[in-house]
Amino acid sequence: MALVPCQVLRAAILLSYCSILCNYKAIDMPAHQTYGGSWKFLTFIDLVIQAVFFGICVLTDLSSLLTKGNDSQEQERQLKKLISLRDWVMAVLAFPVGVVSTVIYIYDRELVYPKLLDNFIPAWLNHGMVSKVM
């Protein structure tokens, strides 16, 4: 059974977020050595939430593809639980935190990503952390 283009797009987005997470951890910044490390930045927390959300989306899509021909009530119940988890994560975590992070960046770039960080973080990584989530 062929994958739907929407599902391929979700898998590509998930892989891009995983690569961004790996590259972000590899960057050596003085702020990473202090209390909280990367977890004190809203953009990093947002990036992790988005990666988890897209992982749940891919898992939901794969589960729906694998259980499409089955008439098992248990599998249908588990798929509905997974879909409700996906919807909850989107409504409660991924969308609100992504919007807040992006709106703060649009309002005042210095609050989220000071120009000083241009020396440490490449532009494509900044795009992945701040604007790509919207």
Side-chain angles (χ1 to χ4, degrees):
M1 181 177 289
L3 291 176
V4 180
C6 168
Q7 295 158 339
V8 173
L9 177 64
R10 285 184 180 166
I13 291 172
L14 176 67
L15 291 175
S16 70
Y17 277 114
C18 290
S19 68
I20 289 170
L21 282 174
C22 292
N23 286 323
Y24 186 74
K25 293 299 285 182
I27 294 173
D28 186 31
M29 287 178 47
H32 290 181
Q33 312 305 325
T34 61
Y35 180 77
S38 301
W39 291 97
K40 66 180 165 229
F41 301 117
L42 180 64
T43 53
F44 182 76
I45 294 170
D46 183 37
L47 192 60
V48 171
I49 290 171
Q50 296 293 333
V52 168
F53 170 68
F54 283 115
I56 293 171
C57 288
V58 169
L59 183 64
T60 303
D61 290 341
L62 290 176
S63 296
S64 67
L65 282 175
L66 294 175
T67 62
K68 198 171 228 175
N70 297 344
D71 292 330
S72 172
Q73 296 292 346
E74 180 65 25
Q75 288 179 345
E76 288 294 323
R77 189 176 61 80
Q78 290 176 352
L79 183 61
K80 287 181 182 180
K81 283 184 181 180
L82 194 57
I83 290 171
S84 66
L85 173 69
R86 180 197 64 192
D87 294 343
W88 181 85
V89 169
M90 175 62 178
V92 175
L93 295 174
F95 183 73
V97 174
V99 168
V100 167
S101 177
T102 304
V103 167
I104 290 174
Y105 181 80
I106 291 170
Y107 176 70
D108 187 7
R109 178 181 190 250
E110 293 294 319
L111 290 174
V112 177
Y113 184 74
K115 291 195 185 283
L116 173 70
L117 294 179
D118 286 337
N119 298 330
F120 296 102
I121 300 176
W124 65 269
L125 189 54
N126 175 41
H127 173 65
M129 290 187 302
V130 178
S131 57
K132 186 178 177 185
V133 298
M134 282 304 290

